[in-house]
Amino acid sequence: MRRLLIGLGGLFFLLATIVLVVPFLLPKDTIKQQVIAEVEKAVGWRLRLDGPVSLSLLPGFSLIAEKVGLSGEAGADGIEFAKAEKIEFGLGWGGLFGGEVQVTGIALIDPDIFLEIGTSGLTSWAPRRDLTPAEEAAEILSGELSAPKAPDEEEVVEETEVAGSSDANFLKRIGIDRLDIENGTVLYHDRNAEQRHEVSNLNLTLMAPDLEGEVSLDTTFVWQEKPMGLKGTLENPLGFAAGARIPMDLMLTVDESSLGVAGQAGLDPIWADVAVTGQGPSLQRFAAILGTTLANDPGSFSIFAKITGDETALSLSDLTASVGSLGLDGNVEANLGGDVPQVAGRIILRESNLEDLLTLAGQSLPAKGQLAGDVTFEASGDTAEALLAALDVRGSARVVGGEVSGLGLADAVGGDVSADEIKDIALELDLNGLDEKANLRGGLSWRGEAFTVTGSATPAPLLDGRSAPVSVKVKGTKLSAGYEGSASGVGGLEGAVSVETASLRDLMAWMGQPVEAGNGLQGFKASGVFAVAGDTIRFDETRFTLDETSGSASGRITLADRPDVVAKLSLNALVLDPYLESAPGRSDGSGSAASSGSGGGTANSQPGSAWSDAPIDFSGLKAADVDFAITTKEIRWDKIKIDESALDATIKNGVLDANLKTLRLYGGSGSGAVRVNGAGDAAQVSAQFALSDLDGYPVLHDAADFEWLEGKANIALDVTTAGWSEKAMVEGLNGTASYSFADGAIRGVNIPKLVRGLSVETLLGWQSSSAEKTDFSSLSASFDVTNGIATTSDISLVGPLVRMSGQGATNLPSKTLDWRVEPKIVPTLEGQAPTPRKKGAEKQMAGLGVPIVVKGPWSNPQIYPDIQGILENPEAAYKQLQSMGGELSKILKGGKPDEALVDAANEAISRATGGKTQIDVQKVIEGEVDDQEILKAVEDGFGLPSGLLGSFGRKKN
């Protein structure tokens, strides 16, 4: 045992001595030259070894050199296509014992490989040709490094054949047991196509003892900043290049994805029987490597398919693919042997998640539901365009239990978060060929409202970017809408649009845009021709009906940060009753205001409310620029009727200008203009209106149930104001206004006749009679408006038996009146012959003046005779009363008033005091009661001079 151990130890010592000593004893230069010759013979490249050379026996017999380079045919010009800091050659053991040196492997450490195609077509890696030293020297001296020029065609063919034979022989003699590259860099540059690609971090192991045998490859590298790898085997690659069918098994890895091909294939003729597999965690990253950008990542993917065929036919069978939860099955057959290639197949979309489909389509929205489909297709053509043009697709697709959220619509409907979701999606699509209409049907729900959806479109033109017929209808309980026309793949639309709702008010509230309470904005229907091109929407022949208003419109909308709208509206009738309350001053419609007497206004009138100081939002004027031309055949509001009218309105940079060009109403005409400037710190408003030759009686009757005046009326208004609230605008109102009536009458009262029958009613309130009237030739007044207060000093009425002048103020901010008018009347025209007057002399009218005061809130003013004005000359007033006679004259002479007069006085007092003061006028006048305090209260209530009523009776003794 001891001898055995000593023997083994001696053997190990001998081997160690050989490993350490023998490399120093071997002829390095000889081996170096033999290695160079072997490499050049094997691959046809010139090898440069400039650095130190060493030999090693572990782990195998090898030669290690530094500062090396490889050059091909272009190397005669000093170009080396490969350089390395270090190279290691594996050598056969036969060279160690004096035999021929055989290179069994090459390992390149940190190489830089430059693969270039020059403008002449010469490649940097082309092998060197076998030239004699004299031929090589001649080429070097001449600088002609490219292939020799062919003097004629025969020489070119001959040289090509020779070159082809030379290349084949060269490839056959290439053989290397193992080629390793560690941390290499490869730069590929095609100067003709200006293509440049770079591969870094190259680590490669190639085993190719014989290119007609099995070649194995295992490599990793970085391309376009993505780690990749290629691994597999090829049987007889030299035969494959020559057209032979060979077995192959290759796997390409990209990042964390892989794509594999396994089976048999050939190039001449083209033939394949392979299985293709692929998988990866991210389709988005894999598509980016292939030069395709996906907006969103649908997730992992996998694919398996069998591909068999040749130049005449190709079959893709057993296709199974998945992307996320989406699953596809199918097969494809291609007939390539005819004059025109034909393709047919079937694709089945297994029930898959709707969210994954949206993600694949570039829409990152949360979704639920299942999508499935089954389609067949066929096409023919020799180009992609021809195939698409001839493509015929038939089948169906469906979505069930669908729900899509994250739509971002909540702000558009008042912040309702349910608007961000569409639920209960159930849709079916039938395809009957791309040249036939595809039909869509189903339903969905939004914000608790269910809608049915139907539609159709012709796919072929849309896929070709051309216009195609399209129809869509959406119907729900609140809204029905439809489109019938054409659409193009670039977003163009042209066709008829229809919208209908039973209540526009309810629809707007549901859409988060509620309007103030009212009765209008109910039934709405509109239809017309719309066209969309780029950022412009055009509409023509658009007919609409809203409540009782109908008309047509045409124009365009240009979309921008601030849209620009130009439109022409033609209205058959504009009915305002659904949107506005009854005309001001109107009672419940059961009678005229005049029927209730003139004393203190109508019994049911209520004080007006204060002006609102709530801010008025003028921001809508900045939302768009507008140019409207509006015409209407009729405008109706309650009993008010306006005939043909025309209005131009523009909005530009927050400023509204409205020009009322034509206004026909009540036998007259009018015009006006309004400007609203909402662009500044405070809104500025100006208005000018002029109405002429109006029939006064029907205007006042229809507008306010006012039946006291008739005649031809003229009205003018020119005012300005500023502010952000109703109250501020009223308080800032300034300007002028005027009105005049000509050749008219005050209906329901004959002032001269009343005075001739003067009685206590004169003091307590005149009664009207529809059969009486006071004619006048003119009634007019003009107003100056300052800070909301309209003042006048020229109220004037001129008639045959009456003259009236007056003055006063209307306080718009406080809604109060303070007027005083002075009518003058004569008892009769009998016996009064006209008397000539000097030119310019004022016509004097003998008679009694009865000043009248109108004071208080304009919703319920006090109207009473100014007795104090009469008593400024009581003696003259008394004589006038005596000469005119009547009940009041009888009382003044000590007579007893009749019962009807007393009842009228009691009723007037009760009405004037609101029933709070109970007075028996008969007893007071006859002296049966001493009720001076009550009479004083009545005087205060009427605003009469103190002690006036006491003169009508006697104190009780």
Coordinates of all heavy atoms in Angstrom, one line a residue, residues 370-443:
Q370 N -68.1 40.2 -20.0 CA -67.5 39.2 -20.9 C -67.7 39.6 -22.3 O -68.8 40.0 -22.7 CB -68.0 37.8 -20.6 CG -67.8 37.4 -19.1 CD -66.3 37.2 -18.8 OE1 -65.6 36.6 -19.6 NE2 -65.9 37.8 -17.7
L371 N -66.7 39.3 -23.1 CA -66.7 39.6 -24.5 C -66.4 38.3 -25.3 O -65.5 37.5 -24.9 CB -65.7 40.6 -25.0 CG -65.5 40.9 -26.4 CD1 -66.7 41.5 -27.0 CD2 -64.3 41.7 -26.7
A372 N -67.2 37.9 -26.3 CA -67.0 36.7 -27.1 C -67.3 37.0 -28.5 O -68.1 37.9 -28.8 CB -67.8 35.6 -26.5
G373 N -66.7 36.2 -29.4 CA -67.0 36.4 -30.8 C -66.6 35.2 -31.7 O -65.8 34.3 -31.2
D374 N -67.1 35.1 -32.9 CA -66.8 34.0 -33.8 C -67.0 34.5 -35.2 O -68.1 34.9 -35.6 CB -67.8 32.8 -33.5 CG -67.4 31.6 -34.4 OD1 -66.5 31.7 -35.2 OD2 -68.0 30.5 -34.1
V375 N -65.9 34.6 -35.9 CA -65.9 35.2 -37.2 C -65.1 34.4 -38.2 O -64.1 33.7 -37.8 CB -65.3 36.7 -37.3 CG1 -66.2 37.6 -36.4 CG2 -63.9 36.7 -36.8
T376 N -65.6 34.4 -39.4 CA -64.8 33.7 -40.5 C -64.4 34.8 -41.5 O -65.1 35.9 -41.6 CB -65.7 32.7 -41.3 OG1 -66.8 33.3 -41.8 CG2 -66.1 31.6 -40.3
F377 N -63.3 34.6 -42.2 CA -62.9 35.6 -43.2 C -62.2 34.9 -44.4 O -61.8 33.8 -44.3 CB -61.9 36.5 -42.5 CG -60.6 35.9 -42.1 CD1 -59.5 35.8 -42.9 CD2 -60.5 35.3 -40.8 CE1 -58.3 35.1 -42.5 CE2 -59.3 34.7 -40.4 CZ -58.3 34.6 -41.2
E378 N -62.2 35.7 -45.5 CA -61.6 35.3 -46.7 C -61.2 36.5 -47.5 O -61.9 37.5 -47.4 CB -62.4 34.3 -47.5 CG -63.7 34.9 -48.0 CD -64.6 33.9 -48.8 OE1 -64.4 32.7 -48.5 OE2 -65.3 34.3 -49.6
A379 N -60.1 36.4 -48.2 CA -59.6 37.5 -49.0 C -58.7 37.0 -50.1 O -58.2 35.8 -50.1 CB -58.8 38.5 -48.2
S380 N -58.5 37.8 -51.1 CA -57.6 37.4 -52.2 C -56.9 38.7 -52.7 O -57.4 39.8 -52.7 CB -58.4 36.8 -53.4 OG -59.3 37.7 -53.9
G381 N -55.6 38.5 -53.1 CA -54.9 39.6 -53.6 C -53.4 39.4 -53.5 O -53.0 38.5 -52.7
D382 N -52.6 40.1 -54.2 CA -51.1 39.9 -54.2 C -50.4 41.0 -53.4 O -49.2 41.0 -53.3 CB -50.6 39.8 -55.6 CG -51.0 40.9 -56.5 OD1 -51.6 41.9 -56.0 OD2 -50.6 40.9 -57.7
T383 N -51.2 41.9 -52.8 CA -50.6 43.0 -52.0 C -51.5 43.1 -50.7 O -52.6 42.7 -50.7 CB -50.5 44.3 -52.7 OG1 -51.8 44.8 -53.0 CG2 -49.6 44.2 -54.0
A384 N -50.9 43.7 -49.7 CA -51.7 44.0 -48.5 C -52.9 44.8 -48.8 O -54.0 44.6 -48.3 CB -50.8 44.6 -47.5
E385 N -52.8 45.8 -49.7 CA -53.9 46.7 -50.0 C -55.0 45.9 -50.7 O -56.2 46.1 -50.5 CB -53.4 47.9 -50.9 CG -52.5 48.9 -50.1 CD -51.1 48.4 -50.0 OE1 -50.8 47.3 -50.6 OE2 -50.3 49.1 -49.3
A386 N -54.5 45.0 -51.7 CA -55.5 44.2 -52.4 C -56.2 43.2 -51.5 O -57.4 43.0 -51.6 CB -54.8 43.5 -53.5
L387 N -55.5 42.6 -50.6 CA -56.1 41.7 -49.6 C -57.1 42.4 -48.8 O -58.2 41.9 -48.5 CB -55.0 41.1 -48.7 CG -54.2 40.0 -49.4 CD1 -53.0 39.6 -48.5 CD2 -55.0 38.7 -49.7
L388 N -56.8 43.6 -48.3 CA -57.7 44.4 -47.4 C -59.0 44.8 -48.2 O -60.1 44.7 -47.7 CB -57.1 45.6 -46.8 CG -57.9 46.4 -45.9 CD1 -58.3 45.6 -44.7 CD2 -57.1 47.7 -45.4
A389 N -58.7 45.2 -49.5 CA -59.9 45.6 -50.3 C -60.8 44.4 -50.6 O -62.0 44.6 -50.7 CB -59.4 46.2 -51.6
A390 N -60.3 43.2 -50.7 CA -61.1 42.0 -51.0 C -61.6 41.3 -49.8 O -62.3 40.2 -49.9 CB -60.4 41.1 -51.9
L391 N -61.2 41.7 -48.6 CA -61.5 41.0 -47.4 C -63.0 40.9 -47.1 O -63.7 41.9 -47.2 CB -60.8 41.7 -46.2 CG -61.0 41.1 -44.8 CD1 -60.4 39.7 -44.8 CD2 -60.4 42.0 -43.7
D392 N -63.5 39.7 -46.8 CA -64.9 39.5 -46.5 C -64.9 38.8 -45.1 O -64.3 37.8 -44.9 CB -65.5 38.6 -47.5 CG -67.0 38.4 -47.2 OD1 -67.7 39.4 -46.8 OD2 -67.5 37.3 -47.5
V393 N -65.6 39.5 -44.2 CA -65.7 39.0 -42.8 C -67.2 38.8 -42.4 O -68.0 39.6 -42.6 CB -65.0 40.0 -41.8 CG1 -65.2 39.4 -40.4 CG2 -63.6 40.2 -42.2
R394 N -67.4 37.6 -41.8 CA -68.8 37.3 -41.4 C -68.7 36.7 -40.0 O -67.8 35.9 -39.7 CB -69.5 36.4 -42.4 CG -69.6 36.9 -43.8 CD -70.2 35.9 -44.8 NE -70.3 36.5 -46.1 CZ -71.3 37.2 -46.6 NH1 -72.4 37.4 -45.8 NH2 -71.3 37.7 -47.8
G395 N -69.8 37.0 -39.2 CA -69.8 36.4 -37.9 C -70.5 37.3 -36.9 O -71.3 38.1 -37.3
S396 N -70.2 37.1 -35.6 CA -70.9 37.9 -34.6 C -70.0 38.0 -33.4 O -69.0 37.3 -33.2 CB -72.2 37.1 -34.2 OG -71.9 35.9 -33.6
A397 N -70.3 39.1 -32.6 CA -69.6 39.3 -31.4 C -70.6 39.8 -30.4 O -71.7 40.4 -30.7 CB -68.5 40.3 -31.6
R398 N -70.4 39.6 -29.1 CA -71.4 40.0 -28.1 C -70.6 40.4 -26.8 O -69.5 39.9 -26.5 CB -72.4 38.9 -27.8 CG -71.8 37.7 -27.1 CD -72.8 36.6 -26.9 NE -72.3 35.5 -26.2 CZ -71.6 34.5 -26.7 NH1 -71.3 34.5 -28.0 NH2 -71.1 33.5 -26.0
V399 N -71.3 41.4 -26.1 CA -70.8 41.8 -24.7 C -72.0 41.5 -23.8 O -73.1 41.9 -24.0 CB -70.4 43.2 -24.7 CG1 -70.0 43.6 -23.3 CG2 -69.2 43.5 -25.6
V400 N -71.7 40.8 -22.7 CA -72.8 40.6 -21.7 C -72.2 41.0 -20.3 O -71.1 40.9 -20.0 CB -73.2 39.1 -21.7 CG1 -73.8 38.7 -23.0 CG2 -72.0 38.2 -21.4
G401 N -73.2 41.5 -19.5 CA -72.8 41.9 -18.1 C -71.8 43.0 -18.1 O -71.0 43.0 -17.2
G402 N -71.8 43.9 -19.1 CA -70.7 44.9 -19.2 C -70.9 46.0 -18.3 O -72.0 46.5 -18.0
E403 N -69.8 46.6 -17.9 CA -69.8 47.8 -17.1 C -68.4 48.5 -17.3 O -67.4 47.9 -17.2 CB -70.0 47.4 -15.6 CG -70.0 48.6 -14.7 CD -70.2 48.2 -13.2 OE1 -71.1 47.3 -13.0 OE2 -69.6 48.8 -12.3
V404 N -68.5 49.8 -17.6 CA -67.3 50.6 -17.8 C -67.4 51.8 -16.9 O -68.4 52.5 -16.8 CB -67.2 51.1 -19.3 CG1 -65.9 51.9 -19.5 CG2 -67.1 49.8 -20.2
S405 N -66.3 52.1 -16.2 CA -66.3 53.2 -15.3 C -65.0 54.1 -15.6 O -64.2 53.8 -16.5 CB -66.3 52.8 -13.8 OG -65.2 51.9 -13.6
G406 N -64.9 55.2 -14.8 CA -63.7 56.1 -15.0 C -63.9 56.9 -16.2 O -62.9 57.4 -16.8
L407 N -65.1 57.3 -16.6 CA -65.4 58.0 -17.8 C -65.1 59.5 -17.6 O -65.0 60.3 -18.6 CB -66.8 57.8 -18.3 CG -67.2 56.4 -18.6 CD1 -68.7 56.3 -19.0 CD2 -66.3 55.8 -19.7
G408 N -65.1 60.0 -16.4 CA -64.8 61.4 -16.1 C -65.9 62.3 -16.5 O -65.7 63.5 -17.0
L409 N -67.2 61.9 -16.4 CA -68.3 62.7 -16.8 C -69.0 63.4 -15.6 O -70.0 64.1 -15.8 CB -69.3 61.9 -17.6 CG -68.8 61.2 -18.9 CD1 -69.9 60.3 -19.5 CD2 -68.4 62.3 -19.8
A410 N -68.6 63.1 -14.4 CA -69.3 63.6 -13.2 C -69.4 65.2 -13.2 O -70.5 65.7 -12.9 CB -68.6 63.2 -11.9
D411 N -68.3 65.9 -13.5 CA -68.4 67.3 -13.5 C -69.3 67.9 -14.5 O -69.9 69.0 -14.3 CB -67.0 67.9 -13.8 CG -66.0 67.6 -12.6 OD1 -66.5 67.3 -11.5 OD2 -64.8 67.7 -12.9
A412 N -69.6 67.2 -15.6 CA -70.5 67.7 -16.7 C -71.9 67.6 -16.3 O -72.8 68.2 -16.9 CB -70.2 66.9 -18.0
V413 N -72.3 66.8 -15.2 CA -73.7 66.6 -14.8 C -73.8 67.0 -13.3 O -74.5 66.3 -12.6 CB -74.1 65.2 -15.1 CG1 -74.2 64.9 -16.6 CG2 -73.2 64.2 -14.5
G414 N -73.2 68.0 -12.9 CA -73.4 68.5 -11.6 C -72.7 67.8 -10.5 O -73.1 67.8 -9.3
G415 N -71.6 67.0 -10.8 CA -70.9 66.3 -9.8 C -71.4 64.9 -9.4 O -70.9 64.3 -8.4
D416 N -72.4 64.4 -10.2 CA -72.9 63.1 -9.9 C -71.9 62.0 -10.3 O -71.7 61.8 -11.4 CB -74.3 62.9 -10.6 CG -74.9 61.6 -10.3 OD1 -74.4 60.8 -9.4 OD2 -76.0 61.3 -10.9
V417 N -71.4 61.3 -9.3 CA -70.3 60.3 -9.5 C -70.8 59.1 -10.3 O -70.1 58.4 -11.0 CB -69.7 59.9 -8.2 CG1 -68.9 61.0 -7.6 CG2 -70.7 59.3 -7.3
S418 N -72.2 58.9 -10.3 CA -72.7 57.8 -11.1 C -72.6 58.0 -12.6 O -72.7 57.1 -13.3 CB -74.2 57.5 -10.7 OG -75.0 58.6 -11.1
A419 N -72.3 59.3 -13.0 CA -72.2 59.6 -14.4 C -70.9 59.0 -14.9 O -70.7 58.9 -16.2 CB -72.2 61.1 -14.6
D420 N -70.0 58.6 -14.1 CA -68.7 58.1 -14.5 C -68.8 56.6 -14.9 O -67.8 56.0 -15.3 CB -67.6 58.2 -13.4 CG -67.2 59.6 -13.3 OD1 -67.3 60.4 -14.2 OD2 -66.7 60.0 -12.2
E421 N -70.0 56.0 -14.8 CA -70.2 54.6 -15.1 C -71.3 54.4 -16.1 O -72.3 55.0 -16.1 CB -70.5 53.8 -13.8 CG -69.5 53.8 -12.7 CD -69.9 53.1 -11.5 OE1 -71.0 53.4 -11.0 OE2 -69.2 52.2 -11.1
I422 N -71.0 53.4 -17.0 CA -72.1 52.9 -17.9 C -72.3 51.4 -17.4 O -71.3 50.6 -17.4 CB -71.7 53.0 -19.3 CG1 -71.6 54.4 -19.7 CG2 -72.8 52.3 -20.2 CD1 -71.2 54.6 -21.2
K423 N -73.5 51.1 -17.1 CA -73.7 49.7 -16.6 C -74.7 48.9 -17.5 O -75.2 49.5 -18.4 CB -74.4 49.8 -15.2 CG -73.5 50.5 -14.1 CD -74.1 50.5 -12.8 CE -73.2 51.1 -11.7 NZ -73.9 51.1 -10.4
D424 N -74.8 47.7 -17.1 CA -75.8 46.8 -17.8 C -75.6 46.8 -19.3 O -76.6 46.8 -20.1 CB -77.2 47.2 -17.5 CG -77.5 47.2 -16.0 OD1 -76.9 46.3 -15.3 OD2 -78.2 48.1 -15.5
I425 N -74.3 46.7 -19.7 CA -74.1 46.7 -21.2 C -74.3 45.3 -21.7 O -73.7 44.4 -21.3 CB -72.6 47.2 -21.5 CG1 -72.3 48.5 -20.9 CG2 -72.3 47.1 -23.0 CD1 -70.9 49.0 -21.0
A426 N -75.2 45.3 -22.7 CA -75.5 44.0 -23.4 C -75.7 44.3 -24.8 O -76.7 44.8 -25.2 CB -76.8 43.3 -22.8
L427 N -74.7 44.0 -25.6 CA -74.7 44.4 -27.1 C -74.3 43.2 -27.9 O -73.5 42.4 -27.5 CB -73.7 45.5 -27.3 CG -73.9 46.9 -26.6 CD1 -72.7 47.8 -26.8 CD2 -75.2 47.5 -27.0
E428 N -74.9 43.2 -29.1 CA -74.6 42.1 -30.1 C -74.3 42.8 -31.4 O -75.0 43.7 -31.8 CB -75.8 41.1 -30.2 CG -76.0 40.3 -29.0 CD -77.1 39.2 -29.2 OE1 -77.4 39.0 -30.4 OE2 -77.6 38.7 -28.2
L429 N -73.3 42.3 -32.1 CA -72.9 42.8 -33.4 C -72.9 41.7 -34.4 O -72.3 40.6 -34.2 CB -71.5 43.4 -33.3 CG -70.9 43.9 -34.6 CD1 -71.7 45.1 -35.2 CD2 -69.4 44.3 -34.4
D430 N -73.6 41.9 -35.5 CA -73.6 40.9 -36.6 C -72.9 41.4 -37.8 O -73.2 42.6 -38.3 CB -75.1 40.6 -37.0 CG -75.8 39.8 -35.9 OD1 -75.2 39.1 -35.1 OD2 -77.1 40.0 -35.7
L431 N -72.0 40.7 -38.3 CA -71.2 41.0 -39.5 C -71.7 40.2 -40.7 O -71.6 38.9 -40.6 CB -69.7 40.8 -39.3 CG -69.0 41.8 -38.3 CD1 -67.6 41.3 -38.0 CD2 -69.0 43.2 -38.8
N432 N -72.1 40.8 -41.7 CA -72.6 40.1 -42.9 C -71.7 40.3 -44.1 O -72.2 40.2 -45.3 CB -74.0 40.5 -43.2 CG -75.0 40.3 -42.1 OD1 -75.0 39.2 -41.5 ND2 -75.6 41.4 -41.6
G433 N -70.5 40.6 -43.9 CA -69.6 41.0 -45.0 C -69.2 42.5 -44.9 O -70.0 43.3 -44.5
L434 N -68.0 42.8 -45.2 CA -67.5 44.2 -45.0 C -68.2 45.1 -46.0 O -68.2 46.3 -45.7 CB -66.0 44.2 -45.2 CG -65.2 43.5 -44.2 CD1 -63.7 43.7 -44.4 CD2 -65.6 43.8 -42.8
D435 N -68.8 44.6 -47.1 CA -69.5 45.5 -48.0 C -71.0 45.6 -47.7 O -71.7 46.3 -48.3 CB -69.3 45.0 -49.4 CG -67.9 45.2 -49.9 OD1 -67.3 46.2 -49.6 OD2 -67.4 44.3 -50.6
E436 N -71.4 44.9 -46.7 CA -72.8 44.9 -46.2 C -72.8 45.6 -44.8 O -71.8 45.7 -44.2 CB -73.4 43.5 -46.1 CG -73.4 42.8 -47.4 CD -74.3 43.4 -48.5 OE1 -75.3 44.1 -48.1 OE2 -74.0 43.2 -49.7
K437 N -74.0 46.0 -44.5 CA -74.2 46.7 -43.2 C -74.0 45.7 -42.0 O -74.5 44.7 -42.0 CB -75.6 47.3 -43.1 CG -75.8 48.6 -43.9 CD -77.1 49.2 -43.6 CE -77.3 50.5 -44.4 NZ -78.6 51.1 -44.1
A438 N -73.1 46.2 -41.1 CA -73.0 45.5 -39.8 C -74.0 46.1 -38.8 O -74.2 47.3 -38.7 CB -71.6 45.7 -39.2
N439 N -74.8 45.2 -38.2 CA -75.9 45.6 -37.3 C -75.6 45.5 -35.8 O -75.0 44.4 -35.4 CB -77.1 44.8 -37.7 CG -77.6 45.0 -39.1 OD1 -77.7 46.2 -39.5 ND2 -77.9 43.9 -39.8
L440 N -75.9 46.5 -35.1 CA -75.7 46.5 -33.6 C -77.0 46.7 -32.9 O -77.8 47.5 -33.3 CB -74.7 47.7 -33.3 CG -74.4 47.9 -31.8 CD1 -73.6 46.8 -31.2 CD2 -73.8 49.3 -31.6
R441 N -77.2 45.9 -31.9 CA -78.4 46.0 -31.1 C -78.1 45.7 -29.6 O -77.1 45.0 -29.4 CB -79.5 45.1 -31.6 CG -79.1 43.6 -31.6 CD -80.2 42.8 -32.3 NE -79.8 41.3 -32.2 CZ -79.0 40.8 -33.1 NH1 -78.4 41.5 -34.1 NH2 -78.7 39.5 -33.0
G442 N -78.9 46.2 -28.7 CA -78.7 45.9 -27.3 C -79.2 47.0 -26.4 O -80.1 47.8 -26.8
G443 N -78.5 47.1 -25.3 CA -79.0 48.2 -24.3 C -77.9 48.4 -23.3 O -76.9 47.7 -23.2

